[in-house]
Amino acid sequence: IPENAYNFGLEKTLDQKELIPAFLNRADMDEKMTIQTKVSSTDRSFGTSLGSEITKRFGSSLEDDSIVVEAEGGGGQSFGAFIPKGLTLHLSGDANDGFGKGLSGGKLVVTPPQNAAYRAHENIIVGNVALYGATSGKAYICGVAGERFCVRNSGATAVAEGCGDHGLEYMTGGRAVILGMTGKNFAAGMSGGIAY
C-alpha cells in the first residue's frame, strides 16, 4: 500500500464484520437467508459491499428476497446504496441522506420502530436525495422522504407517504407513488416514468 493511500477502514464496517461472512457461509444460495443486525448513523453505505459480493457471484440472477437483512436503528449516509437484485434491506428505524442512491435491483423497506412515539406519515423517515439515480428495484418508505426524492430515477419503483421539495426531479423512468404531500418543484424536468 502506498504511504499516501487513504485507509477507509472498510474492515470495521458491518458489511465486512457481519454481512459478508454470513453470506459467504451460505454462498451456494440453495435456500433463502436472513441476517439480523443493529445499525447506527456511523454505519455508512450499509449493504453496499455485501451487494458487490452478491453481484460478483450471481450477477442479477437471484430471486427477490434471496438475502434479507433485517436492520434496526438509525441507518447512516447512503444506507442501501447500489444494492442488487436478490438483496432486501428492511430497516426498522430511520435513515440519513442518500438512502438507496443508485438502487440497482434490490429492495429497500423502511418502517418506524414499533414503539415509535410519532406518526410516520407526518415525519421524515429517510433524508434528502433518497433513491438518487436509481436504475431498478423497489423501495417502500413508511413515512416521508426528504428533499430531492427519486431525482434521476430511471427504473426503480418507489412508494413514500410524502416528500420534500424537488421530488422526482429529472426522473426518466420508473414509477413513484407519493401517498401524501409533496413539496414545491415536484417532477420538474421529469421526462419519463410515471408519478402517482
Side-chain angles (χ1 to χ4, degrees), residues 46-61:
F46 179 85
T48 303
S49 293
L50 172 60
S52 176
E53 291 296 325
I54 292 168
T55 301
K56 279 187 220 175
R57 285 167 177 72
F58 297 103
S60 59
S61 67

Side-chain angles (χ1 to χ4, degrees), residues 1 18 28 46 79 124 138 156 168 171 182 191 193:
I1 299 175
E18 294 181 22
D28 59 359
F46 179 85
F79 183 97
I124 293 175
K138 298 172 185 161
L168 283 53
M171 200 165 119
T182 62
S191 59

Side-chain angles (χ1 to χ4, degrees), residues 83-109:
I83 65 167
K85 187 173 187 300
L87 176 57
T88 296
L89 302 183
H90 182 269
L91 175 62
S92 176
D94 54 25
N96 286 336
D97 296 348
F99 174 84
K101 70 181 178 185
L103 183 65
S104 300
K107 185 189 297 182
L108 293 167
V109 180

Side-chain angles (χ1 to χ4, degrees), residues 66-89:
S66 290
I67 302 159
V68 176
V69 178
E70 296 176 351
E72 184 180 334
Q77 296 274 339
S78 302
F79 183 97
F82 308 105
I83 65 167
K85 187 173 187 300
L87 176 57
T88 296
L89 302 183

Side-chain angles (χ1 to χ4, degrees), residues 8 48 76 86 141 157 159 180:
F8 289 94
T48 303
I141 300 163
T157 298
V159 180

Side-chain angles (χ1 to χ4, degrees), residues 62-174:
L62 290 180
E63 293 180 18
D64 286 346
D65 306 316
S66 290
I67 302 159
V68 176
V69 178
E70 296 176 351
E72 184 180 334
Q77 296 274 339
S78 302
F79 183 97
F82 308 105
I83 65 167
K85 187 173 187 300
L87 176 57
T88 296
L89 302 183
H90 182 269
L91 175 62
S92 176
D94 54 25
N96 286 336
D97 296 348
F99 174 84
K101 70 181 178 185
L103 183 65
S104 300
K107 185 189 297 182
L108 293 167
V109 180
V110 61
T111 58
Q114 287 187 335
N115 61 352
Y118 57 87
R119 294 180 176 186
H121 70 279
E122 295 175 349
N123 287 273
I124 293 175
I125 198 165
V126 297
N128 296 330
V129 295
L131 302 179
Y132 179 92
T135 61
S136 57
K138 298 172 185 161
Y140 303 101
I141 300 163
C142 182
V144 179
E147 295 186 3
R148 304 202 80 191
F149 178 61
C150 277
V151 170
R152 296 198 58 81
N153 176 21
S154 62
T157 298
V159 180
E161 294 194 72
C163 69
D165 294 344
H166 316 294
L168 283 53
E169 191 176 33
Y170 308 124
M171 200 165 119
T172 62

Side-chain angles (χ1 to χ4, degrees), residues 26-32:
R26 292 271 307 277
D28 59 359
M29 293 311 299
D30 288 338
E31 295 179 16
K32 294 184 177 188

